[in-house]
Amino acid sequence: MKRPNTQAVLSCVVKSYSIIQTTTAADLAAVVALCWEYRDFLLANTPVDREITETFYPVPKYEALMNDLPVIHARPRGIILLARSADGTPLACGMTHPLDPQSAEIKRIFVAPEARGLGLAKALCRALLVQAQADGYQRVVLDTSRTLTGAVALYLSLGFKERGPYQPIPDSALPHLRFFEYKLDTSIS
């Protein structure tokens, strides 16, 4: 039996998603569900990721954060993006919020396991960078766990440069995190 051409199949699948700004209650509910899935992923990833997640985002604090997403990431200086399949299934999310007048921070880039490998994280990051540039920011920053090597590789491939912490971080967490910056004075790769 002849095996299907995996690249051709992936190529077809890749083109069957859309990335939209979250504007409805249903879209926001889908993003919140993806964010909880992201938290669960971090809890199960490594003991260090579990400890950091439980320290920074215990359930009550994360619930409050999820309730405040539309305020924290509100237009015109922030945005929440949702990627959906052609049939409307939520696949991935990402968002930005202002740190200061010149700096936006990317938060919670997460792709559901069944949608990984389709380029959604890269597409979301590019869309967030383009929007941040259009919003007048000069730089975008983010942090990630050292254990998320795929995320680190993605950020480096997009042109992010590694840097030190851009806001106060407890000393106990510093060895486990990596910090990145993208200057918006160049074209977005």
Side-chain angles (χ1 to χ4, degrees):
M1 182 167 132
K2 187 174 179 184
R3 298 187 73 181
N5 179 334
T6 306
Q7 280 304 101
V9 171
L10 284 177
S11 175
C12 291
V13 173
V14 167
K15 293 181 176 140
S16 65
Y17 68 81
S18 60
I19 296 176
I20 59 164
Q21 179 182 340
T22 302
T23 57
T24 69
D27 291 344
L28 183 60
V31 167
V32 167
L34 286 164
C35 288
W36 279 104
E37 191 174 344
Y38 178 49
R39 184 181 183 278
D40 291 343
F41 165 79
L42 291 172
L43 289 172
N45 193 42
T46 68
V48 169
D49 287 338
R50 180 181 214 36
E51 182 180 339
I52 289 173
T53 302
E54 288 174 340
T55 299
F56 286 102
Y57 297 113
V59 170
K61 185 175 179 180
Y62 206 69
E63 286 174 341
L65 177 64
M66 292 299 102
N67 289 334
D68 288 343
L69 283 182
V71 175
I72 295 167
H73 303 283
R75 297 293 304 138
R77 299 288 287 166
I79 195 165
I80 302 172
L81 298 179
L82 173 65
R84 290 188 176 275
S85 67
D87 70 1
T89 303
L91 300 174
C93 65
M95 52 205 76
T96 59
H97 70 99
L99 284 182
D100 59 53
Q102 292 81 34
S103 310
E105 182 182 29
I106 289 179
K107 297 297 286 183
R108 287 170 286 287
I109 296 287
F110 179 72
V111 178
E114 65 274 12
R116 291 186 185 148
L118 304 178
L120 286 168
K122 183 175 264 190
L124 280 166
C125 285
R126 282 185 177 142
L128 290 169
L129 290 170
V130 167
Q131 187 62 58
Q133 191 170 46
D135 290 344
Y137 290 111
Q138 295 171 3
R139 70 183 183 136
V140 174
V141 294
L142 59 84
D143 63 72
T144 193
S145 170
R146 287 190 177 278
T147 66
L148 300 179
T149 56
V152 169
L154 169 66
Y155 303 139
L156 291 171
S157 78
L158 286 167
F160 280 85
K161 303 296 182 207
E162 198 150 2
R163 55 156 298 148
Y166 48 85
Q167 57 189 355
I169 299 288
D171 289 341
S172 61
L174 282 175
H176 309 291
L177 298 173
R178 290 178 75 173
F179 303 89
F180 295 91
E181 179 174 335
Y182 189 101
K183 298 228 185 259
L184 292 169
D185 56 359
T186 59
S187 64
I188 296 167
S189 54

